[in-house]
Each structure stands twice: as structure tokens, then as C-alpha cells.
Amino acid sequence: MAYRTHSPQSLRALVKDMIVAAGWSADAAAETAEHLVLANLSGHDSHGVGMLPLYFQSLADGNLSPASQPQARLDAAPFLIIDAGVALGQPAARNAVEQAAAMAKTGGVAILNLLDAHHIGRIGHYAEAAAAQGLISLFWVNVAGRPPIVAPHGAKEARFGTNPHAIGIPVPGAEPIILDFATSRMAHGKARVALNKGVPVPPGYIIDGEGRPTTEPRHVFPHALAESEALGALLPFGDHKGAGLSLIAELLSAGLMGAARIDQKPAKSWIINSLFGILIDPARLEPDAELRKGRIESYLAFVRAAKPQDESQPVLTPGESERATRIARERDGIPLDDETWSQIRAAAAAHGIDAERY
Ligand code: NAD
């Protein structure tokens, strides 16, 4: 599979222009462009600009509209409940987290439930936004509007979405700890990247429609299967532990407040995320920022000093691999495979934009 390397600046400009041409405000477009390109820069191509053709398909199908606006259902500290009304996900989630951050800075804590946003992307983005304001954050997210794609532990068929979980801990004057992952062993978008590249996924990540282990990513994409083949499933990470966390994410984010859930037949073809978040001001726990910094950094140093199994692979703490990839990709550019780029070009052309000019 061939690749081309793109500069982050050109991709940001292209994505922003595409979203504006599709009818959104310049601010919403800039936020979404920033988010998607940062996902690529962080090494999470599954949640980068390659998602845009899917958003534009939702738009073309009439399932995503620039007219949708999030509405607060409850704004009474420490609770903030926002019905996103399937608005464009990245700006809806970023604004919700910024509002919750303001609440947590005033009252020490905020409990956020964002309901029914269109796909909100990389959840670590919001943990980074909270950490930039000096706040600890914990997020649980469900994935609805699609058929289930992750099997419960021991099951032959899917019952969960890839329900991501993220936690951010700020370190005063230093880079934050950002833990951010799907509760499946592999994000569905990473299987899409493998499918587009025509490469297998590692063993132990996917089962086929008969429950047999497979390395072929097509088994988790209905459009890539023959009519006679049943849809397979991604496996949860950590067996029963990841499966349990996925179940909790579904209930916390969407299940309590009646947002779209994975066990409801999707009304339309779209990806809906609901998010449950807790933001905490760590100064309410330990007011002395220097003490906090020292305690966190001494522990991180202890962990990083563990002897690596492989001398060429240093022991990392959460958030470090994304930061290293950002430095490399800012310098070398963002590689996009030809299939992903041609999908982006087609989505841009539908709105009168020639992606090759960026
Ligand atoms: P992943 O398996 O790459 O894990 C990433 C996490 O592990 C990060 O916190 C990273 O810093 C840490 N990490 C990576 N390598 C490490 C190492 N060697 N040592 C220690 N820590 C390490 O992530 P994933 O499960 O593939 O998820 C990818 C992205 O997909 C995430 O950003 C997630 O939020 C996003 N996602 C979004 C949705 C959605 O519907 N919006 C659904 C699923 C996943």
C-alpha cells in the first residue's frame, strides 16, 4: 500500500475548508480540524483525518447537520448535563469539557454527561484539555448508532462498542499523564486502517463470525464480507476486565440518562458518542503544587527506571508514546495511505474542493 506524507498545516487547512464548505462555522471547523490532525500527529490515525469521509457520508445521508446545536439539560454545579442533539462531535465535546472545567475550577469538581454527540474522536484530547487547565479528568464513553462490534468475554458475538476510557492527571509545570484507550484490544478504526492498507491485524484481536480467531480485519466490517459470511467481533482487552469496563462505560455514559445505546437498533447510519466525565481540581486534594509535582514525578521516575525487557524499547508511562510521535510527525509529516487519501479527496470534491491543492 502506497503512502503520501502531508504536512499538519496543509491537512488542518484542508479539513477546516471542507467543514466550512459543508455549512459549519469557522470555529467549529477549526476545532474539528485541530482535533483530527492532532490525532494523526499523536499516532492515532484511526481517529485522525481518515474519519472525515465518514462524517461527510453522515452529512450526505442527512444524518449529521450543521444546524444541530447542543442544549444544556442541567447546569447546576457540580452537575452539567448537555444534550448534544447529534451535533458535530469534536466542538460539542470540547465546549462541554471547557464548561465543566470552569465549574471544577470554581467548585473543585464537575460531573459531566454529554449525551448523543456525533463521533467525538480521540478521548485523550479532552483529558489533555482538562489537564491544560490544571484538572484531573476521568472519562467513559459509549459508541452507539452502529451494530455492536466487541464480544463480551467468552462470547462468540458482539454486544459492546469499543467504549473508550481516558484519564488525565496534570503535573504542575510538566507534561500530564494521559491514559486513553478503547476497551477493545484494538480500536475499530485501527482495524479500518489495516483494511485500507491491506495488512493483517496481530493475532488475538479479532474473531470471525463463527467465533474463530482471525487476523483478517475484513471480519469486523460488514461491507468487506461476502453475503454468506457473518460479522465477526473485536475482542475486549484484558479478557473479563476490559469487557467489564466496557459495560460500565455504556451504562455511565448513555445508559442512565436514556441516550443512544448499543442495544438499540440504529435509526440511521452514524456514530454516536455519549460521554460521562468527572473533573477534579487537584489543588483541593494537595494545595501545594510543588509537593504534588514532586510526588508524581518521583513515582513516574520509579516506573520508568524498571529494566526493559528489550533494551531498545524504554519503559514508558501513559501519554509518552503520543508525545514522541507528535515530535516525529511534526518534523517528518503525517503519512496517509492512498485509500484514505482518495476517500478524503472524494469527500472534498463533493463540496467543490480540490484536496490536491493543499
Ligand atoms: P492504544 O492501544 O494505542 O493505547 C493508548 C494508551 O496507551 C495511551 O494512553 C498511551 O500513552 C499508552 N501507551 C501506548 N504505548 C505504551 C507503552 N509502550 N507503555 C505504556 N503506555 C503506553 O489506544 P487504542 O485503544 O487503540 O485507542 C486509540 C484511540 O481511539 C484513543 O484515543 C481512544 O480514545 C480512541 N477511541 C475513540 C472512540 C470513539 O468512539 N470516539 C472509540 C474507541 C477508541
Side-chain angles (χ1 to χ4, degrees):
M1 170 64 56
Y3 286 91
R4 252 177 58 194
T5 301
H6 303 257
S7 76
Q9 295 81 351
S10 68
L11 285 179
R12 258 185 228 112
L14 168 63
V15 173
K16 184 176 173 209
D17 287 356
M18 284 172 69
I19 296 176
V20 167
W24 275 276
S25 70
D27 281 353
E31 178 60 40
T32 309
E34 179 61 33
H35 182 122
L36 293 175
V37 174
L38 189 57
N40 287 110
L41 282 171
S42 310
H44 293 295
D45 294 328
S46 55
H47 288 71
V49 296
M51 285 304 285
L52 205 58
L54 219 136
Y55 299 176
F56 275 61
Q57 190 58 53
S58 280
L59 179 72
D61 293 344
N63 299 340
L64 175 63
S65 163
S68 302
Q69 290 297 332
Q71 303 286 342
R73 235 198 239 183
L74 177 70
D75 184 350
F79 295 99
L80 178 63
I81 303 176
I82 297 176
D83 186 344
V86 198
L88 187 64
Q90 282 83 356
R94 179 60 186 258
N95 291 338
V97 169
E98 293 296 340
Q99 275 186 62
M103 202 179 253
K105 285 176 95 164
T106 310
V109 68
I111 296 172
L112 169 67
N113 203 177
L114 176 71
L115 308 167
D116 292 335
H118 195 260
H119 187 251
I120 64 175
R122 190 178 67 91
I123 311 308
H125 192 90
Y126 309 108
E128 285 165 6
Q133 306 241 23
L135 298 167
I136 295 171
S137 61
L138 303 96
F139 298 108
W140 296 264
V141 174
N142 83 329
V143 188
R146 301 249 133 173
I149 197 61
V150 181
H153 180 55
K156 264 171 119 168
E157 54 179 352
R159 285 291 184 270
F160 303 138
T162 52
N163 299 358
H165 177 43
I167 298 179
I169 302 182
V171 184
E175 296 289 356
I177 300 167
I178 303 289
L179 179 66
D180 169 32
F181 54 72
T183 47
S184 47
R185 266 202 87 184
M186 156 179 265
H188 198 204
K190 285 190 177 154
R192 170 178 51 80
V193 172
L195 186 73
N196 282 354
K197 287 182 183 169
V199 298
V201 300
Y205 285 62
I206 289 181
I207 50 173
D208 69 12
E210 306 300 322
R212 295 174 300 220
T214 176
T215 57
E216 293 178 35
R218 68 189 184 86
H219 285 289
V220 287
F221 294 95
H223 72 269
L225 290 173
E227 233 170 70
S228 58
E229 287 179 307
L231 186 64
L234 299 168
L235 292 172
F237 87 89
D239 300 330
H240 54 291
K241 303 174 192 185
L245 189 53
S246 183
L247 182 144
I248 296 293
E250 184 77 38
L251 286 175
L252 279 183
S253 62
L256 298 184
M257 294 296 297
R261 255 175 35 189
I262 192 80
D263 53 334
Q264 296 159 347
K265 198 168 162 41
K268 296 175 177 179
S269 146
W270 52 14
I271 306 184
I272 309 277
N273 285 146
S274 290
L275 168 148
F276 186 83
I278 303 174
L279 284 77
I280 303 161
D281 181 356
R284 305 291 178 120
L285 303 169
E286 171 51 76
D288 186 328
E290 276 309 306
L291 261 185
R292 234 182 307 132
K293 178 180 167 74
R295 287 175 186 151
I296 296 173
E297 288 193 330
S298 63
Y299 180 63
L300 292 179
F302 173 72
V303 172
R304 288 178 189 133
K307 283 196 194 97
Q309 292 171 8
D310 173 349
E311 289 295 332
S312 68
Q313 302 283 328
V315 172
L316 301 177
T317 54
E320 283 192 298
S321 67
E322 284 78 7
R323 283 197 288 276
T325 309
R326 278 177 203 177
I327 292 168
R329 289 190 167 187
E330 284 281 6
R331 182 190 60 224
D332 305 334
I334 295 170
L336 292 181
D337 64 82
D338 283 356
E339 174 60 26
T340 301
W341 180 241
S342 81
Q343 290 172 4
I344 293 171
R345 268 194 358 234
H351 289 272
I353 291 175
D354 177 3
E356 294 295 350
R357 293 185 53 208
Y358 286 78

